[in-house]
Amino acid sequence: RSAPSPPPRRRDRSAPSPPRVMASSHHEDAAQRLAARIAQHEARLAELAERDGVLDCTGDGTFRVCKRSTTPSKGPLVLPGFRAEVQYTGWLAPAGDDAPKLDDALVAAATKGKPFDSSRGNAAPFSFLAGGGQVIGGWDATVTAMRVGERAMILVAPEHGYGARGAGGVIPPDATLYFEMNLLSLQ
């Protein structure tokens, strides 16, 4: 017969417990996933067509949603799902051209008129979830092609704006829209 085994030892609660060894932490995994999303988004942006300094933001080659940087930035890139804060002013672009071109003539003609909307002068900038469908499709496409600190001129064709319905008696049906936007921050 063998001797009875001693009772289990109780851990001294005053002594520090040994550190756990993990392959990687939750934070490291999240950082790696974010880095992969950024690299994937950068690659998508690198594939977008550019003509005369104007970027085709939908990637379909039509330039129906496009932007021209007036103040480029090396700030963080906007990823879909992040909250963007912007200041903007919007005008109706001249009607009549089926494929308007974002050039000096269009900007001059659009800005001769009264803006239909502006966040400038408000107490707070306008904030929305980028790529989340909270704004017109043209904004989702262009803001996710911008960097914090960038200022840009943006042209949005009707099908990426308010379409055949227009908006609130201020934007007529099938209107092409021109915006000047400053991307202030991300959250």
Side-chain angles (χ1 to χ4, degrees), residues 11 16-25:
R11 187 167 84 74
S17 53
R20 291 186 191 178
V21 177
M22 296 182 167
S24 66
S25 75

Side-chain angles (χ1 to χ4, degrees), residues 24-109:
S24 66
S25 75
H26 173 71
H27 294 292
E28 289 170 337
D29 290 344
Q32 289 173 350
R33 285 192 306 274
L34 180 59
R37 279 184 65 201
I38 291 169
Q40 182 180 23
H41 196 61
E42 291 271 8
R44 183 189 82 77
L45 291 179
E47 292 175 2
L48 295 178
E50 191 170 329
R51 182 174 58 212
D52 299 326
V54 175
L55 185 70
D56 176 19
C57 295
T58 60
D60 63 4
T62 64
F63 288 82
R64 305 273 299 155
V65 175
C66 58
K67 76 167 179 102
R68 173 178 288 168
S69 254
T70 55
T71 306
S73 172
K74 295 204 184 275
L77 181 65
V78 178
L79 294 175
F82 281 74
R83 185 158 293 285
E85 284 192 333
V86 300
Q87 284 186 327
Y88 70 92
T89 302
W91 293 267
L92 298 174
D97 191 352
D98 187 44
K101 187 176 176 186
L102 183 52
D103 59 14
D104 293 341
L106 180 134
V107 171

Side-chain angles (χ1 to χ4, degrees), residues 3 158 183:
L183 180 56

